Amino acid sequence: MGGVVVGGDVATAEQPFGDSDAHSGARPDAAPAFLVIDLAAPALFAGASAAGTAADADVVTDAHGLPYLPRHRVAARLRDAAVTAVRAEPALLPAARALFGAARAHGPDRILRIGHALPPEPVRAAVAWALEQRAADPATDHGPDLLRAVTDAYTSLESGVEIAGGTAEGRLRTVRVLDPGLRLAAALRWTRAPEPGELRCLARAALAFTQAGLKASRGRGRVDVRLAPAADTDARRAHAATLAWAGVRAVHGGVREETV
């Protein structure tokens, strides 16, 4: 046994995925197709929203008002997490370079391409259909107010006093945050079949990816990030699959140790 320990309560030592996961297609020797991000705390993915919500700091949304995390931010966070994994296991350095490229260059030599982290496809399809129906009806509002209503369904406003110039006086500042409980999924595209060491590195980076967005020091943006064969893989199965790709297994008492 090695010295790597991962928390959680999912897999068993004998069967990392469990009998109920056989139909999911998750196998430790197959490349994952998605990176799933479950928000465990309010998150601030600062950027421009489709219609604007009058907040001092808004969230990134698509043309339908749905929040998402841009691919370059996902890749940057995942790469930073891979650095943590390499520090714990230096032998993973070649795999990290193959996955993410060298020296933050994101060059064409990297084997992994990461898409935007998006809400579930059924949600996106339903919102797009609803907006199209509203747009086809001239008697209904289908302007910015409707887009803001979509954004409001997944976000909340937080207020605080901005302190400037070292004085106690300041103005009221509002920040829009994503509500916890939202799942985002980023598609993974491979330029070639990954090797076992590369899958191990990616899975350990996913396990080390625990925060996204701004204001992490204030408890914002805590996330559970896992690899999955499909965007709709439930959290339990995704965690079990990630442990298997990472080369770790469950032992009694809920502790995961490195598989040898």
Side-chain angles (χ1 to χ4, degrees):
M1 298 272 182
V4 177
V5 178
V6 181
D9 299 317
V10 180
T12 63
E14 295 77 16
Q15 235 176 348
F17 296 106
D19 291 337
S20 63
D21 294 290
H23 68 277
S24 70
R27 304 194 321 271
D29 61 338
F34 288 89
L35 185 80
V36 293
I37 303 173
D38 291 306
L39 272 62
L44 175 57
F45 298 163
S49 64
T53 60
D56 293 296
D58 221 328
V59 297
V60 181
T61 68
D62 65 13
H64 295 146
L66 286 169
Y68 73 99
L69 185 56
R71 61 170 66 92
H72 67 278
R73 298 189 189 179
V74 178
R77 290 293 187 181
L78 193 59
R79 181 172 180 142
D80 289 343
V83 170
T84 300
V86 169
R87 286 173 179 164
E89 188 176 346
L92 292 176
L93 179 58
R97 286 177 173 168
L99 288 167
F100 302 106
R104 297 186 179 275
H106 298 294
D109 57 321
R110 71 189 192 280
I111 67 170
L112 177 63
R113 303 292 190 272
I114 303 173
H116 296 314
L118 306 170
E121 171 59 29
V123 171
R124 290 184 282 127
V127 169
W129 180 85
L131 292 178
E132 288 176 1
Q133 297 303 305
R134 294 290 292 268
D137 183 358
T140 60
D141 173 34
H142 53 272
D145 288 345
L146 186 56
L147 297 182
R148 282 194 290 269
V150 173
T151 304
D152 287 344
Y154 297 94
T155 63
S156 299
L157 280 177
E158 294 184 348
S159 300
V161 177
E162 182 180 41
I163 305 299
T167 67
E169 296 182 0
R171 70 183 183 90
L172 186 65
R173 177 179 173 84
T174 59
V175 175
R176 185 166 290 278
V177 298
L178 271 69
D179 294 331
L182 177 65
R183 165 171 284 198
L184 303 174
L188 304 178
R189 185 170 62 85
W190 301 88
T191 61
R192 63 165 172 79
E195 298 176 359
E198 292 159 352
L199 289 176
R200 178 187 180 95
C201 181
L202 179 61
R204 295 194 174 213
L207 292 169
F209 184 168
T210 59
Q211 190 276 334
L214 303 178
K215 300 184 181 296
S217 63
R218 301 181 186 180
R220 293 293 176 261
R222 184 164 56 86
V223 294
D224 293 322
V225 178
R226 299 295 182 259
L227 304 176
D232 59 354
T233 303
D234 67 44
R236 184 181 180 90
R237 294 174 182 174
H239 185 73
T242 306
L243 290 178
W245 276 309
V248 298
R249 66 178 178 86
V251 296
H252 294 297
V255 176
R256 273 68 181 168
E257 295 184 355
E258 182 178 359
T259 303
V260 296

